[in-house]
Amino acid sequence: SQELEQSPQSLIVQEGKNLTINCTSSKTLYGLYWYKQKYGEGLIFLMMLQKGGEEKSHEKITAKLDEKKQQSSLHITASQPSHAGIYLCGAAFGNEKLTFGTGTRLTIIP
Amino acid sequence: EAQVTQNPRYLITVTGKKLTVTCSQNMNHEYMSWYRQDPGLGLRQIYYSMNVEVTDKGDVPEGYKVSRKEKRNFPLILESPSPNQTSLYFCASSFSLMGNYGYTFGSGTRLTVV
């Protein structure tokens, strides 16, 4: 079973609209990363959250980690074509490997 | 430019023919890792290395080997590739497992085994 669940699996949004992607774990997270991947290319680091209740923003993208450190959301405001791609959350559950969710494919339509 | 370089980007090979995918980073990172990405399964870790001469298995290590003789290089070796190893492979590096600046990923190697 997947340790990290992302929802939705895919999302089609009209340009200019807001959207939210969720990442949920059944275990407490030691750290949560958000990445963006252009189709078939490498992953680009967006931000990392470590503290319960933490919120970070980069341009029009905001990510939050809940107080229990088991769920994170990624919110994009006024979406643009450049936001299209696959968004992945990655998490460390201890001092071992980084586990990734299956990703959310975001399509922006004009 | 700080980066992780993987080679080759694309590779088509035949079953059983040994191959190596190279990975090199120029950021003096201690932590390096290999992932494979498959539709519906996401990114799964193959092997990782906490430092030179220290490697450990990830989630799907069967059929793969790695080595970490130098800090900058972390090659992935497929001794006898099989079609189920057809996938998109990524190498990643970081100062530590919980690097505050995230992992830096290579551009990927798309491997097809026929």
Side-chain angles (χ1 to χ4, degrees), chain B:
Chain B
E1 181 187 350
Q3 59 185 359
V4 174
T5 304
Q6 285 179 237
N7 279 299
R9 287 292 309 274
Y10 302 92
L11 180 60
I12 301 174
T13 190
V14 296
T15 299
K17 186 176 181 181
K18 180 179 179 179
L19 67 92
T20 299
V21 184
T22 63
C23 174
S24 180
Q25 50 93 4
N26 62 359
M27 296 164 282
N28 203 35
H29 284 169
E30 292 190 346
Y31 186 91
M32 297 186 75
S33 181
W34 276 102
Y35 291 86
R36 62 178 288 175
Q37 187 177 36
D38 302 288
L41 298 175
L43 276 168
R44 293 179 293 169
Q45 190 178 50
I46 303 170
Y47 269 96
Y48 65 97
S49 170
M50 301 291 279
N51 212 326
V52 175
E53 302 291 0
V54 180
T55 63
D56 212 340
K57 296 177 180 178
D59 294 316
V60 288
E62 293 76 23
Y64 304 94
K65 284 175 59 177
V66 293
S67 68
R68 188 90 182 273
K69 296 176 182 175
E70 308 164 279
K71 201 170 189 178
R72 63 183 294 128
N73 296 323
F74 191 45
L76 180 70
I77 303 157
L78 284 72
E79 294 273 2
S80 182
S82 61
N84 64 13
Q85 292 179 299
T86 293
S87 187
L88 180 59
Y89 291 87
F90 289 103
C91 179
S93 74
S94 175
F95 279 113
S96 64
L97 174 65
M98 286 302 300
N100 288 324
Y101 300 100
Y103 287 31
T104 302
F105 280 81
S107 298
T109 296
R110 188 169 292 279
L111 172 66
T112 302
V113 184
V114 298

Side-chain angles (χ1 to χ4, degrees), chain A:
Chain A
S1 64
Q2 196 72 21
E3 291 180 293
L4 280 179
E5 294 286 342
Q6 273 187 250
S7 62
Q9 288 187 341
S10 64
L11 194 54
I12 300 173
V13 174
Q14 192 170 25
E15 184 177 352
K17 297 294 186 183
N18 303 336
L19 62 105
T20 300
I21 298 168
N22 294 302
C23 179
T24 303
S25 169
S26 57
K27 298 187 283 187
T28 300
L29 304 167
Y30 281 78
L32 191 288
Y33 295 90
W34 281 102
Y35 285 86
K36 179 186 175 184
Q37 182 183 21
K38 288 286 191 183
Y39 301 116
E41 297 183 11
L43 281 69
I44 299 168
F45 172 71
L46 295 176
M47 55 194 89
M48 176 197 172
L49 305 165
Q50 209 165 5
K51 299 175 185 175
E54 187 175 7
E55 178 176 322
K56 287 186 179 177
S57 293
H58 175 67
E59 298 179 345
K60 293 186 178 181
I61 301 176
T62 301
K64 300 178 186 179
L65 182 62
D66 74 337
E67 290 289 343
K68 288 185 177 180
K69 295 174 64 176
Q70 287 187 283
Q71 184 169 1
S72 178
S73 60
L74 185 86
H75 185 77
I76 298 177
T77 304
S79 58
Q80 301 168 350
S82 61
H83 288 129
I86 299 171
Y87 289 82
L88 295 108
C89 62
F93 295 101
N95 61 348
E96 299 176 353
K97 60 184 175 69
L98 197 66
T99 299
F100 286 89
T102 53
T104 296
R105 185 179 293 267
L106 175 62
T107 303
I108 307 294
I109 56 175

